[in-house]
mmCIF file of all heavy atoms in Angstrom:
data_model
loop_
_atom_site.group_PDB
_atom_site.id
_atom_site.type_symbol
_atom_site.label_atom_id
_atom_site.label_comp_id
_atom_site.label_asym_id
_atom_site.label_seq_id
_atom_site.Cartn_x
_atom_site.Cartn_y
_atom_site.Cartn_z
ATOM 1 N N GLY A 1 -29.467 3.551 -35.432
ATOM 2 C CA GLY A 1 -29.264 2.219 -34.889
ATOM 3 C C GLY A 1 -30.580 1.476 -34.731
ATOM 4 O O GLY A 1 -30.684 0.282 -35.060
ATOM 5 N N GLU A 2 -31.599 2.153 -34.221
ATOM 6 C CA GLU A 2 -32.912 1.546 -34.044
ATOM 7 C C GLU A 2 -33.512 1.173 -35.394
ATOM 8 O O GLU A 2 -34.115 0.101 -35.560
ATOM 9 C CB GLU A 2 -33.837 2.525 -33.306
ATOM 10 C CG GLU A 2 -35.179 1.939 -32.907
ATOM 11 C CD GLU A 2 -35.062 0.909 -31.800
ATOM 12 O OE1 GLU A 2 -34.108 1.009 -30.994
ATOM 13 O OE2 GLU A 2 -35.898 -0.005 -31.768
ATOM 14 N N ILE A 3 -33.331 2.048 -36.368
ATOM 15 C CA ILE A 3 -33.857 1.793 -37.717
ATOM 16 C C ILE A 3 -33.218 0.546 -38.309
ATOM 17 O O ILE A 3 -33.909 -0.346 -38.831
ATOM 18 C CB ILE A 3 -33.606 3.012 -38.620
ATOM 19 C CG1 ILE A 3 -34.538 4.153 -38.216
ATOM 20 C CG2 ILE A 3 -33.788 2.660 -40.097
ATOM 21 C CD1 ILE A 3 -34.257 5.461 -38.916
ATOM 22 N N TYR A 4 -31.909 0.437 -38.185
ATOM 23 C CA TYR A 4 -31.228 -0.690 -38.828
ATOM 24 C C TYR A 4 -31.317 -1.978 -38.021
ATOM 25 O O TYR A 4 -31.193 -3.071 -38.586
ATOM 26 C CB TYR A 4 -29.799 -0.306 -39.185
ATOM 27 C CG TYR A 4 -29.788 0.472 -40.474
ATOM 28 C CD1 TYR A 4 -29.685 1.855 -40.479
ATOM 29 C CD2 TYR A 4 -29.963 -0.177 -41.692
ATOM 30 C CE1 TYR A 4 -29.735 2.568 -41.661
ATOM 31 C CE2 TYR A 4 -30.005 0.529 -42.880
ATOM 32 C CZ TYR A 4 -29.896 1.902 -42.857
ATOM 33 O OH TYR A 4 -29.959 2.602 -44.036
ATOM 34 N N ARG A 5 -31.575 -1.892 -36.719
ATOM 35 C CA ARG A 5 -31.894 -3.113 -35.972
ATOM 36 C C ARG A 5 -33.182 -3.725 -36.519
ATOM 37 O O ARG A 5 -33.281 -4.946 -36.702
ATOM 38 C CB ARG A 5 -32.035 -2.801 -34.473
ATOM 39 C CG ARG A 5 -30.723 -2.862 -33.712
ATOM 40 C CD ARG A 5 -30.938 -2.860 -32.219
ATOM 41 N NE ARG A 5 -31.479 -1.576 -31.744
ATOM 42 C CZ ARG A 5 -30.724 -0.541 -31.417
ATOM 43 N NH1 ARG A 5 -29.400 -0.622 -31.538
ATOM 44 N NH2 ARG A 5 -31.267 0.569 -30.982
ATOM 45 N N THR A 6 -34.164 -2.863 -36.774
ATOM 46 C CA THR A 6 -35.424 -3.344 -37.348
ATOM 47 C C THR A 6 -35.206 -3.921 -38.737
ATOM 48 O O THR A 6 -35.745 -4.978 -39.076
ATOM 49 C CB THR A 6 -36.445 -2.183 -37.421
ATOM 50 O OG1 THR A 6 -36.676 -1.670 -36.108
ATOM 51 C CG2 THR A 6 -37.770 -2.659 -38.016
ATOM 52 N N ALA A 7 -34.398 -3.228 -39.545
ATOM 53 C CA ALA A 7 -34.131 -3.708 -40.907
ATOM 54 C C ALA A 7 -33.456 -5.075 -40.899
ATOM 55 O O ALA A 7 -33.783 -5.949 -41.712
ATOM 56 C CB ALA A 7 -33.266 -2.693 -41.643
ATOM 57 N N LEU A 8 -32.521 -5.280 -39.965
ATOM 58 C CA LEU A 8 -31.832 -6.570 -39.875
ATOM 59 C C LEU A 8 -32.783 -7.669 -39.396
ATOM 60 O O LEU A 8 -32.750 -8.796 -39.900
ATOM 61 C CB LEU A 8 -30.634 -6.449 -38.926
ATOM 62 C CG LEU A 8 -29.454 -5.630 -39.462
ATOM 63 C CD1 LEU A 8 -28.478 -5.290 -38.338
ATOM 64 C CD2 LEU A 8 -28.740 -6.377 -40.587
ATOM 65 N N GLN A 9 -33.633 -7.338 -38.421
ATOM 66 C CA GLN A 9 -34.594 -8.325 -37.925
ATOM 67 C C GLN A 9 -35.562 -8.770 -39.011
ATOM 68 O O GLN A 9 -35.931 -9.949 -39.092
ATOM 69 C CB GLN A 9 -35.372 -7.737 -36.739
ATOM 70 C CG GLN A 9 -34.552 -7.579 -35.474
ATOM 71 C CD GLN A 9 -35.274 -6.770 -34.415
ATOM 72 O OE1 GLN A 9 -36.389 -6.275 -34.631
ATOM 73 N NE2 GLN A 9 -34.649 -6.632 -33.256
ATOM 74 N N LYS A 10 -35.982 -7.824 -39.856
ATOM 75 C CA LYS A 10 -36.940 -8.132 -40.919
ATOM 76 C C LYS A 10 -36.265 -8.668 -42.179
ATOM 77 O O LYS A 10 -36.935 -8.991 -43.152
ATOM 78 C CB LYS A 10 -37.734 -6.868 -41.283
ATOM 79 C CG LYS A 10 -38.540 -6.265 -40.141
ATOM 80 C CD LYS A 10 -39.721 -7.117 -39.761
ATOM 81 C CE LYS A 10 -40.572 -6.420 -38.702
ATOM 82 N NZ LYS A 10 -41.751 -7.228 -38.333
ATOM 83 N N LYS A 11 -34.939 -8.727 -42.151
ATOM 84 C CA LYS A 11 -34.151 -9.197 -43.295
ATOM 85 C C LYS A 11 -34.440 -8.371 -44.555
ATOM 86 O O LYS A 11 -34.610 -8.901 -45.656
ATOM 87 C CB LYS A 11 -34.425 -10.683 -43.553
ATOM 88 C CG LYS A 11 -34.027 -11.567 -42.377
ATOM 89 C CD LYS A 11 -34.282 -13.035 -42.663
ATOM 90 C CE LYS A 11 -33.859 -13.894 -41.462
ATOM 91 N NZ LYS A 11 -34.109 -15.340 -41.690
ATOM 92 N N ALA A 12 -34.477 -7.060 -44.349
ATOM 93 C CA ALA A 12 -34.750 -6.140 -45.464
ATOM 94 C C ALA A 12 -33.527 -5.995 -46.352
ATOM 95 O O ALA A 12 -32.387 -5.953 -45.866
ATOM 96 C CB ALA A 12 -35.167 -4.774 -44.924
ATOM 97 N N GLU A 13 -33.762 -5.916 -47.643
ATOM 98 C CA GLU A 13 -32.684 -5.678 -48.615
ATOM 99 C C GLU A 13 -32.414 -4.182 -48.766
ATOM 100 O O GLU A 13 -31.298 -3.780 -49.044
ATOM 101 C CB GLU A 13 -33.059 -6.271 -49.972
ATOM 102 C CG GLU A 13 -33.100 -7.784 -49.988
ATOM 103 C CD GLU A 13 -31.722 -8.403 -49.833
ATOM 104 O OE1 GLU A 13 -30.743 -7.801 -50.302
ATOM 105 O OE2 GLU A 13 -31.627 -9.499 -49.241
ATOM 106 N N PHE A 14 -33.455 -3.378 -48.589
ATOM 107 C CA PHE A 14 -33.293 -1.928 -48.587
ATOM 108 C C PHE A 14 -34.460 -1.316 -47.838
ATOM 109 O O PHE A 14 -35.460 -1.983 -47.540
ATOM 110 C CB PHE A 14 -33.189 -1.356 -50.014
ATOM 111 C CG PHE A 14 -34.452 -1.495 -50.848
ATOM 112 C CD1 PHE A 14 -35.416 -0.496 -50.860
ATOM 113 C CD2 PHE A 14 -34.640 -2.613 -51.654
ATOM 114 C CE1 PHE A 14 -36.555 -0.616 -51.642
ATOM 115 C CE2 PHE A 14 -35.775 -2.741 -52.437
ATOM 116 C CZ PHE A 14 -36.737 -1.741 -52.438
ATOM 117 N N ILE A 15 -34.322 -0.038 -47.494
ATOM 118 C CA ILE A 15 -35.363 0.663 -46.733
ATOM 119 C C ILE A 15 -35.694 1.985 -47.407
ATOM 120 O O ILE A 15 -34.914 2.522 -48.206
ATOM 121 C CB ILE A 15 -34.930 0.916 -45.271
ATOM 122 C CG1 ILE A 15 -33.718 1.859 -45.227
ATOM 123 C CG2 ILE A 15 -34.660 -0.403 -44.554
ATOM 124 C CD1 ILE A 15 -33.361 2.321 -43.825
ATOM 125 N N ILE A 16 -36.851 2.506 -47.057
ATOM 126 C CA ILE A 16 -37.289 3.832 -47.499
ATOM 127 C C ILE A 16 -37.893 4.547 -46.297
ATOM 128 O O ILE A 16 -38.664 3.948 -45.530
ATOM 129 C CB ILE A 16 -38.313 3.730 -48.645
ATOM 130 C CG1 ILE A 16 -37.615 3.241 -49.929
ATOM 131 C CG2 ILE A 16 -39.006 5.075 -48.903
ATOM 132 C CD1 ILE A 16 -38.563 3.041 -51.106
ATOM 133 N N LEU A 17 -37.532 5.787 -46.118
ATOM 134 C CA LEU A 17 -38.146 6.621 -45.091
ATOM 135 C C LEU A 17 -39.305 7.389 -45.696
ATOM 136 O O LEU A 17 -39.259 7.799 -46.860
ATOM 137 C CB LEU A 17 -37.138 7.627 -44.531
ATOM 138 C CG LEU A 17 -35.989 7.109 -43.677
ATOM 139 C CD1 LEU A 17 -35.089 8.279 -43.276
ATOM 140 C CD2 LEU A 17 -36.509 6.390 -42.437
ATOM 141 N N LEU A 18 -40.341 7.588 -44.898
ATOM 142 C CA LEU A 18 -41.460 8.432 -45.307
ATOM 143 C C LEU A 18 -41.894 9.269 -44.115
ATOM 144 O O LEU A 18 -41.868 8.791 -42.967
ATOM 145 C CB LEU A 18 -42.667 7.613 -45.766
ATOM 146 C CG LEU A 18 -42.488 6.652 -46.933
ATOM 147 C CD1 LEU A 18 -42.392 5.228 -46.425
ATOM 148 C CD2 LEU A 18 -43.638 6.798 -47.923
ATOM 149 N N HIS A 19 -42.245 10.504 -44.364
ATOM 150 C CA HIS A 19 -42.914 11.263 -43.322
ATOM 151 C C HIS A 19 -43.799 12.323 -43.957
ATOM 152 O O HIS A 19 -43.694 12.618 -45.143
ATOM 153 C CB HIS A 19 -41.913 11.864 -42.318
ATOM 154 C CG HIS A 19 -41.268 13.142 -42.725
ATOM 155 N ND1 HIS A 19 -40.163 13.203 -43.555
ATOM 156 C CD2 HIS A 19 -41.558 14.431 -42.403
ATOM 157 C CE1 HIS A 19 -39.805 14.467 -43.723
ATOM 158 N NE2 HIS A 19 -40.633 15.239 -43.033
ATOM 159 N N ASN A 20 -44.704 12.845 -43.162
ATOM 160 C CA ASN A 20 -45.680 13.825 -43.646
ATOM 161 C C ASN A 20 -45.315 15.231 -43.186
ATOM 162 O O ASN A 20 -44.614 15.410 -42.186
ATOM 163 C CB ASN A 20 -47.069 13.487 -43.110
ATOM 164 C CG ASN A 20 -47.126 13.564 -41.590
ATOM 165 O OD1 ASN A 20 -46.339 12.906 -40.907
ATOM 166 N ND2 ASN A 20 -48.025 14.365 -41.054
ATOM 167 N N HIS A 21 -45.775 16.211 -43.927
ATOM 168 C CA HIS A 21 -45.720 17.600 -43.512
ATOM 169 C C HIS A 21 -47.155 18.095 -43.309
ATOM 170 O O HIS A 21 -47.894 18.240 -44.288
ATOM 171 C CB HIS A 21 -45.018 18.462 -44.569
ATOM 172 C CG HIS A 21 -43.523 18.408 -44.498
ATOM 173 N ND1 HIS A 21 -42.712 19.098 -45.377
ATOM 174 C CD2 HIS A 21 -42.683 17.767 -43.651
ATOM 175 C CE1 HIS A 21 -41.446 18.876 -45.071
ATOM 176 N NE2 HIS A 21 -41.411 18.070 -44.032
ATOM 177 N N PRO A 22 -47.582 18.322 -42.067
ATOM 178 C CA PRO A 22 -48.949 18.779 -41.819
ATOM 179 C C PRO A 22 -49.303 20.087 -42.536
ATOM 180 O O PRO A 22 -50.483 20.360 -42.772
ATOM 181 C CB PRO A 22 -48.978 18.971 -40.291
ATOM 182 C CG PRO A 22 -47.952 18.007 -39.782
ATOM 183 C CD PRO A 22 -46.855 18.039 -40.814
ATOM 184 N N SER A 23 -48.309 20.869 -42.910
ATOM 185 C CA SER A 23 -48.566 22.118 -43.635
ATOM 186 C C SER A 23 -49.130 21.856 -45.028
ATOM 187 O O SER A 23 -49.738 22.731 -45.634
ATOM 188 C CB SER A 23 -47.272 22.926 -43.770
ATOM 189 O OG SER A 23 -46.346 22.242 -44.619
ATOM 190 N N GLY A 24 -48.909 20.643 -45.542
ATOM 191 C CA GLY A 24 -49.373 20.303 -46.889
ATOM 192 C C GLY A 24 -48.311 20.449 -47.951
ATOM 193 O O GLY A 24 -48.444 19.915 -49.046
ATOM 194 N N SER A 25 -47.234 21.166 -47.638
ATOM 195 C CA SER A 25 -46.131 21.333 -48.590
ATOM 196 C C SER A 25 -45.073 20.266 -48.327
ATOM 197 O O SER A 25 -44.586 20.139 -47.202
ATOM 198 C CB SER A 25 -45.497 22.715 -48.457
ATOM 199 O OG SER A 25 -44.291 22.782 -49.227
ATOM 200 N N PRO A 26 -44.660 19.510 -49.350
ATOM 201 C CA PRO A 26 -43.699 18.434 -49.127
ATOM 202 C C PRO A 26 -42.232 18.847 -49.258
ATOM 203 O O PRO A 26 -41.353 17.983 -49.211
ATOM 204 C CB PRO A 26 -44.076 17.439 -50.228
ATOM 205 C CG PRO A 26 -44.505 18.306 -51.367
ATOM 206 C CD PRO A 26 -45.193 19.497 -50.730
ATOM 207 N N GLU A 27 -41.955 20.121 -49.438
ATOM 208 C CA GLU A 27 -40.567 20.550 -49.608
ATOM 209 C C GLU A 27 -39.743 20.199 -48.369
ATOM 210 O O GLU A 27 -40.155 20.450 -47.236
ATOM 211 C CB GLU A 27 -40.504 22.053 -49.858
ATOM 212 C CG GLU A 27 -41.052 22.481 -51.207
ATOM 213 C CD GLU A 27 -40.259 21.866 -52.356
ATOM 214 O OE1 GLU A 27 -39.006 21.906 -52.309
ATOM 215 O OE2 GLU A 27 -40.884 21.342 -53.289
ATOM 216 N N PRO A 28 -38.545 19.621 -48.545
ATOM 217 C CA PRO A 28 -37.749 19.178 -47.395
ATOM 218 C C PRO A 28 -37.161 20.347 -46.607
ATOM 219 O O PRO A 28 -36.778 21.372 -47.168
ATOM 220 C CB PRO A 28 -36.641 18.349 -48.047
ATOM 221 C CG PRO A 28 -36.512 18.895 -49.429
ATOM 222 C CD PRO A 28 -37.895 19.307 -49.834
ATOM 223 N N SER A 29 -37.079 20.161 -45.297
ATOM 224 C CA SER A 29 -36.444 21.140 -44.420
ATOM 225 C C SER A 29 -34.975 20.772 -44.234
ATOM 226 O O SER A 29 -34.518 19.713 -44.665
ATOM 227 C CB SER A 29 -37.136 21.150 -43.058
ATOM 228 O OG SER A 29 -36.896 19.922 -42.382
ATOM 229 N N ARG A 30 -34.247 21.623 -43.547
ATOM 230 C CA ARG A 30 -32.843 21.338 -43.248
ATOM 231 C C ARG A 30 -32.728 20.064 -42.400
ATOM 232 O O ARG A 30 -31.841 19.245 -42.605
ATOM 233 C CB ARG A 30 -32.229 22.526 -42.505
ATOM 234 C CG ARG A 30 -30.729 22.421 -42.321
ATOM 235 C CD ARG A 30 -30.189 23.644 -41.614
ATOM 236 N NE ARG A 30 -30.640 24.884 -42.232
ATOM 237 C CZ ARG A 30 -30.428 26.089 -41.723
ATOM 238 N NH1 ARG A 30 -29.765 26.218 -40.588
ATOM 239 N NH2 ARG A 30 -30.864 27.166 -42.342
ATOM 240 N N GLU A 31 -33.649 19.898 -41.436
ATOM 241 C CA GLU A 31 -33.631 18.698 -40.603
ATOM 242 C C GLU A 31 -33.939 17.449 -41.425
ATOM 243 O O GLU A 31 -33.358 16.386 -41.193
ATOM 244 C CB GLU A 31 -34.650 18.831 -39.459
ATOM 245 C CG GLU A 31 -34.266 19.833 -38.384
ATOM 246 C CD GLU A 31 -33.066 19.376 -37.565
ATOM 247 O OE1 GLU A 31 -32.630 18.213 -37.742
ATOM 248 O OE2 GLU A 31 -32.553 20.163 -36.765
ATOM 249 N N ASP A 32 -34.855 17.565 -42.380
ATOM 250 C CA ASP A 32 -35.167 16.420 -43.244
ATOM 251 C C ASP A 32 -33.910 15.947 -43.980
ATOM 252 O O ASP A 32 -33.637 14.743 -44.088
ATOM 253 C CB ASP A 32 -36.238 16.797 -44.277
ATOM 254 C CG ASP A 32 -37.571 17.127 -43.656
ATOM 255 O OD1 ASP A 32 -37.858 16.621 -42.551
ATOM 256 O OD2 ASP A 32 -38.341 17.887 -44.277
ATOM 257 N N ILE A 33 -33.150 16.903 -44.490
ATOM 258 C CA ILE A 33 -31.923 16.573 -45.234
ATOM 259 C C ILE A 33 -30.876 15.966 -44.303
ATOM 260 O O ILE A 33 -30.188 15.006 -44.663
ATOM 261 C CB ILE A 33 -31.380 17.836 -45.929
ATOM 262 C CG1 ILE A 33 -32.385 18.311 -46.999
ATOM 263 C CG2 ILE A 33 -30.020 17.570 -46.558
ATOM 264 C CD1 ILE A 33 -32.076 19.674 -47.579
ATOM 265 N N SER A 34 -30.788 16.492 -43.072
ATOM 266 C CA SER A 34 -29.822 15.974 -42.103
ATOM 267 C C SER A 34 -30.152 14.539 -41.700
ATOM 268 O O SER A 34 -29.266 13.675 -41.630
ATOM 269 C CB SER A 34 -29.799 16.882 -40.868
ATOM 270 O OG SER A 34 -28.932 16.381 -39.882
ATOM 271 N N VAL A 35 -31.437 14.277 -41.411
ATOM 272 C CA VAL A 35 -31.871 12.921 -41.062
ATOM 273 C C VAL A 35 -31.518 11.948 -42.181
ATOM 274 O O VAL A 35 -30.973 10.864 -41.956
ATOM 275 C CB VAL A 35 -33.394 12.888 -40.797
ATOM 276 C CG1 VAL A 35 -33.909 11.452 -40.786
ATOM 277 C CG2 VAL A 35 -33.730 13.570 -39.488
ATOM 278 N N THR A 36 -31.828 12.338 -43.390
ATOM 279 C CA THR A 36 -31.595 11.480 -44.549
ATOM 280 C C THR A 36 -30.112 11.153 -44.699
ATOM 281 O O THR A 36 -29.730 9.999 -44.953
ATOM 282 C CB THR A 36 -32.108 12.168 -45.824
ATOM 283 O OG1 THR A 36 -33.487 12.498 -45.649
ATOM 284 C CG2 THR A 36 -31.964 11.261 -47.033
ATOM 285 N N SER A 37 -29.263 12.140 -44.518
ATOM 286 C CA SER A 37 -27.825 11.947 -44.664
ATOM 287 C C SER A 37 -27.287 10.968 -43.626
ATOM 288 O O SER A 37 -26.510 10.056 -43.949
ATOM 289 C CB SER A 37 -27.105 13.287 -44.548
ATOM 290 O OG SER A 37 -25.709 13.123 -44.633
ATOM 291 N N ARG A 38 -27.693 11.129 -42.360
ATOM 292 C CA ARG A 38 -27.196 10.256 -41.293
ATOM 293 C C ARG A 38 -27.613 8.812 -41.513
ATOM 294 O O ARG A 38 -26.827 7.883 -41.332
ATOM 295 C CB ARG A 38 -27.709 10.748 -39.934
ATOM 296 C CG ARG A 38 -27.109 12.061 -39.479
ATOM 297 C CD ARG A 38 -27.701 12.512 -38.155
ATOM 298 N NE ARG A 38 -27.323 11.607 -37.074
ATOM 299 C CZ ARG A 38 -28.185 11.042 -36.249
ATOM 300 N NH1 ARG A 38 -29.480 11.237 -36.409
ATOM 301 N NH2 ARG A 38 -27.776 10.268 -35.270
ATOM 302 N N ILE A 39 -28.870 8.613 -41.905
ATOM 303 C CA ILE A 39 -29.370 7.247 -42.076
ATOM 304 C C ILE A 39 -28.773 6.609 -43.327
ATOM 305 O O ILE A 39 -28.466 5.413 -43.349
ATOM 306 C CB ILE A 39 -30.906 7.247 -42.103
ATOM 307 C CG1 ILE A 39 -31.425 7.704 -40.725
ATOM 308 C CG2 ILE A 39 -31.457 5.872 -42.455
ATOM 309 C CD1 ILE A 39 -32.917 7.894 -40.645
ATOM 310 N N ARG A 40 -28.555 7.400 -44.363
ATOM 311 C CA ARG A 40 -27.921 6.864 -45.576
ATOM 312 C C ARG A 40 -26.517 6.361 -45.274
ATOM 313 O O ARG A 40 -26.110 5.288 -45.737
ATOM 314 C CB ARG A 40 -27.858 7.938 -46.666
ATOM 315 C CG ARG A 40 -27.197 7.446 -47.953
ATOM 316 C CD ARG A 40 -26.869 8.596 -48.877
ATOM 317 N NE ARG A 40 -25.948 9.544 -48.271
ATOM 318 C CZ ARG A 40 -24.631 9.350 -48.146
ATOM 319 N NH1 ARG A 40 -24.088 8.228 -48.581
ATOM 320 N NH2 ARG A 40 -23.870 10.259 -47.590
ATOM 321 N N GLU A 41 -25.757 7.129 -44.485
ATOM 322 C CA GLU A 41 -24.391 6.735 -44.144
ATOM 323 C C GLU A 41 -24.367 5.406 -43.393
ATOM 324 O O GLU A 41 -23.513 4.542 -43.658
ATOM 325 C CB GLU A 41 -23.733 7.838 -43.304
ATOM 326 C CG GLU A 41 -23.439 9.106 -44.094
ATOM 327 C CD GLU A 41 -22.994 10.247 -43.197
ATOM 328 O OE1 GLU A 41 -22.899 10.024 -41.969
ATOM 329 O OE2 GLU A 41 -22.749 11.351 -43.726
ATOM 330 N N CYS A 42 -25.301 5.224 -42.461
ATOM 331 C CA CYS A 42 -25.373 3.954 -41.728
ATOM 332 C C CYS A 42 -25.737 2.809 -42.671
ATOM 333 O O CYS A 42 -25.200 1.697 -42.569
ATOM 334 C CB CYS A 42 -26.403 4.044 -40.606
ATOM 335 S SG CYS A 42 -25.904 5.112 -39.254
ATOM 336 N N GLY A 43 -26.666 3.073 -43.589
ATOM 337 C CA GLY A 43 -27.068 2.057 -44.547
ATOM 338 C C GLY A 43 -25.935 1.618 -45.452
ATOM 339 O O GLY A 43 -25.804 0.427 -45.781
ATOM 340 N N ASP A 44 -25.096 2.568 -45.824
ATOM 341 C CA ASP A 44 -23.938 2.232 -46.664
ATOM 342 C C ASP A 44 -22.991 1.277 -45.934
ATOM 343 O O ASP A 44 -22.461 0.335 -46.525
ATOM 344 C CB ASP A 44 -23.190 3.508 -47.052
ATOM 345 C CG ASP A 44 -23.975 4.369 -48.036
ATOM 346 O OD1 ASP A 44 -24.948 3.846 -48.628
ATOM 347 O OD2 ASP A 44 -23.613 5.546 -48.197
ATOM 348 N N LEU A 45 -22.790 1.505 -44.627
ATOM 349 C CA LEU A 45 -21.899 0.657 -43.848
ATOM 350 C C LEU A 45 -22.458 -0.758 -43.681
ATOM 351 O O LEU A 45 -21.728 -1.741 -43.714
ATOM 352 C CB LEU A 45 -21.648 1.280 -42.471
ATOM 353 C CG LEU A 45 -20.822 2.573 -42.451
ATOM 354 C CD1 LEU A 45 -20.821 3.163 -41.042
ATOM 355 C CD2 LEU A 45 -19.391 2.300 -42.911
ATOM 356 N N LEU A 46 -23.785 -0.843 -43.515
ATOM 357 C CA LEU A 46 -24.425 -2.135 -43.262
ATOM 358 C C LEU A 46 -24.881 -2.831 -44.543
ATOM 359 O O LEU A 46 -25.386 -3.953 -44.494
ATOM 360 C CB LEU A 46 -25.638 -1.941 -42.340
ATOM 361 C CG LEU A 46 -25.318 -1.518 -40.911
ATOM 362 C CD1 LEU A 46 -26.595 -1.128 -40.172
ATOM 363 C CD2 LEU A 46 -24.598 -2.634 -40.164
ATOM 364 N N GLU A 47 -24.702 -2.154 -45.667
ATOM 365 C CA GLU A 47 -25.124 -2.678 -46.966
ATOM 366 C C GLU A 47 -26.626 -2.960 -47.013
ATOM 367 O O GLU A 47 -27.089 -3.929 -47.614
ATOM 368 C CB GLU A 47 -24.319 -3.937 -47.329
ATOM 369 C CG GLU A 47 -22.832 -3.657 -47.483
ATOM 370 C CD GLU A 47 -22.045 -4.886 -47.934
ATOM 371 O OE1 GLU A 47 -22.583 -6.001 -47.836
ATOM 372 O OE2 GLU A 47 -20.901 -4.706 -48.384
ATOM 373 N N ILE A 48 -27.377 -2.095 -46.333
ATOM 374 C CA ILE A 48 -28.843 -2.068 -46.451
ATOM 375 C C ILE A 48 -29.187 -0.633 -46.850
ATOM 376 O O ILE A 48 -29.408 0.223 -45.994
ATOM 377 C CB ILE A 48 -29.550 -2.455 -45.137
ATOM 378 C CG1 ILE A 48 -29.077 -3.825 -44.655
ATOM 379 C CG2 ILE A 48 -31.075 -2.476 -45.329
ATOM 380 C CD1 ILE A 48 -29.670 -4.235 -43.324
#
């Protein structure tokens, strides 16, 4: 909700998430995949 409030305020057409792994390896974790899935579903509903 916080992410898409910002997207609506900025009138974004689409968004991209980015984050770092301090270990140096960029392979996604289970939590990374879960976060991505939840935010994608919200984006589909809001058409952003």
Side-chain angles (χ1 to χ4, degrees):
E2 187 70 28
I3 288 172
Y4 279 101
R5 273 193 293 273
T6 301
L8 289 166
Q9 289 170 358
K10 300 290 185 179
K11 298 181 180 179
E13 291 291 328
F14 66 91
I15 64 171
I16 290 177
L17 291 178
L18 301 103
H19 82 277
N20 63 305
H21 279 179
S23 67
S25 170
E27 290 298 313
S29 68
R30 188 178 310 172
E31 289 291 352
D32 295 334
I33 295 170
S34 177
V35 166
T36 304
S37 178
R38 291 178 67 233
I39 295 174
R40 180 193 60 77
E41 290 171 1
C42 290
D44 290 345
L45 291 172
L46 292 170
E47 297 184 344
I48 304 177

